[in-house]
Amino acid sequence: MSVPGVRCDDHRRRWDIREYEKKASNRIENLRSVKKQSAEDEESGDEAEIERKAVEKKIARTLLQAREFKVDLESRLGKSVIVTKATAPSDAGGYYCNVCDCIVKDSINFLDHINGKKHQRNMGMSMRVERSNVDQVRKRIEMNKAKQNQVVKEYNFEERLKEAKEEEEKIRAQRRDKKKESKKRKLEEYQSLQDDDDAGNEDAMAAVMGFSGFGGSKK
Ligand SMILES: [Zn+2]
């Protein structure tokens, strides 16, 4: 509440600190008295009351738990659907939550919804998170370390695969060169033998062997 007596020469709102302090202390006192009352009730041993509380505790929602599946946001992306009045909400456009039976129109709001209080309540969970103990933290750290090592291993494997491929390629290239050289040598030998023969004869021989010429004339 702004204080009427104080002149406000800027746009900021001012608060009556004393009034709010009084309200806060009243609230705290009320809370304390309620707690005291409930403690006294328990001590008094009212069986019906105790039973009711036990049932309430059973109904109490579980702690917030991590989702174990991947949220499907993209499977219906870019598809067109005809939506009529008779279309089931799960088949209509947008993201359908089968827990709360509601449709959310876009992925950001859908994520907000499934992470939200109302949805978690319908799932039977409260928004309270379990407090981890030291052992759990250690386990998690070890797990993450193992994960890192796995990634390194995979990388090494890929690298080795690449190296092997390169090695194979080299060997192939060498073989190709050898083949070329041996062909060339054979040709040269043949040419040196046929050097004195006339061109017609050579062409005929080439035709018999299946190519147009020996290419020696290019040298
Ligand atoms: Zn929901």
Side-chain angles (χ1 to χ4, degrees):
M1 191 191 289
S2 59
V3 186
V6 178
R7 197 179 131 252
C8 299
D9 41 10
D10 61 354
H11 64 281
R12 291 182 192 283
R13 287 195 287 178
R14 288 163 199 283
W15 309 94
D16 190 341
I17 294 168
R18 253 185 256 159
E19 195 186 320
Y20 279 95
E21 217 172 62
K22 218 164 83 188
K23 274 190 179 174
S25 61
N26 278 345
R27 201 182 59 228
I28 289 166
E29 258 175 42
N30 274 341
L31 271 177
R32 269 185 197 148
S33 65
V34 166
K35 266 188 190 171
K36 228 181 179 181
Q37 186 70 36
S38 64
E40 275 170 11
D41 282 353
E42 270 182 21
E43 275 170 19
S44 70
D46 190 343
E47 273 182 34
E49 186 74 6
I50 289 170
E51 207 173 306
R52 192 179 60 80
K53 273 182 183 166
V55 170
E56 257 178 25
K57 267 181 193 169
K58 264 185 201 167
I59 292 171
R61 294 187 290 273
T62 58
L63 293 169
L64 201 60
Q65 280 156 12
R67 207 176 290 124
E68 277 167 359
F69 56 93
K70 199 168 176 278
V71 181
D72 174 29
L73 293 175
E74 289 167 359
S75 70
R76 293 169 72 190
L77 215 63
K79 286 182 182 166
S80 348
V81 184
I82 295 170
V83 179
T84 63
K85 276 182 186 172
T87 310
S90 54
D91 298 326
Y95 295 89
Y96 174 69
C97 173
N98 53 1
V99 178
C100 313
D101 189 31
C102 65
I103 297 173
V104 189
K105 290 297 179 191
D106 59 78
S107 57
I108 293 172
N109 281 320
F110 183 65
L111 281 178
D112 275 348
H113 168 77
I114 59 174
N115 290 328
K117 201 173 175 182
K118 195 184 142 204
H119 181 85
Q120 299 298 347
R121 187 177 289 166
N122 285 340
M123 297 268 286
M125 285 190 270
S126 70
M127 295 299 278
R128 289 207 185 84
V129 184
E130 189 191 351
R131 196 171 160 73
S132 308
N133 56 31
V134 182
D135 283 344
Q136 281 170 322
V137 173
R138 273 189 198 132
K139 258 185 198 169
R140 180 48 67 106
I141 290 173
E142 270 168 30
M143 205 180 82
N144 285 340
K145 264 188 188 169
K147 244 190 217 170
Q148 266 183 345
N149 287 341
Q150 259 185 0
V151 169
V152 168
K153 261 183 200 169
E154 269 172 31
Y155 174 69
N156 280 347
F157 175 68
E158 273 176 13
E159 210 175 50
R160 261 190 285 168
L161 205 72
K162 207 175 147 191
E163 277 173 9
K165 267 184 188 169
E166 277 172 4
E167 197 65 35
E168 214 176 312
E169 193 59 42
K170 261 187 205 168
I171 291 169
R172 256 187 225 159
Q174 276 178 353
R175 269 189 210 152
R176 236 180 284 143
D177 285 351
K178 265 188 189 173
K179 259 188 188 174
K180 267 186 191 169
E181 264 180 28
S182 69
K183 246 187 193 173
K184 215 176 168 186
R185 223 184 303 126
K186 273 182 190 170
L187 267 177
E188 276 167 1
E189 278 171 13
Y190 184 73
Q191 269 177 340
S192 65
L193 280 174
Q194 298 283 318
D195 217 13
D196 295 326
D197 286 357
D198 57 4
N201 204 353
E202 194 176 288
D203 280 345
M205 179 59 84
V208 167
M209 287 177 80
F211 43 86
S212 59
F214 289 110
S217 57
K218 278 175 195 167
K219 275 182 185 175

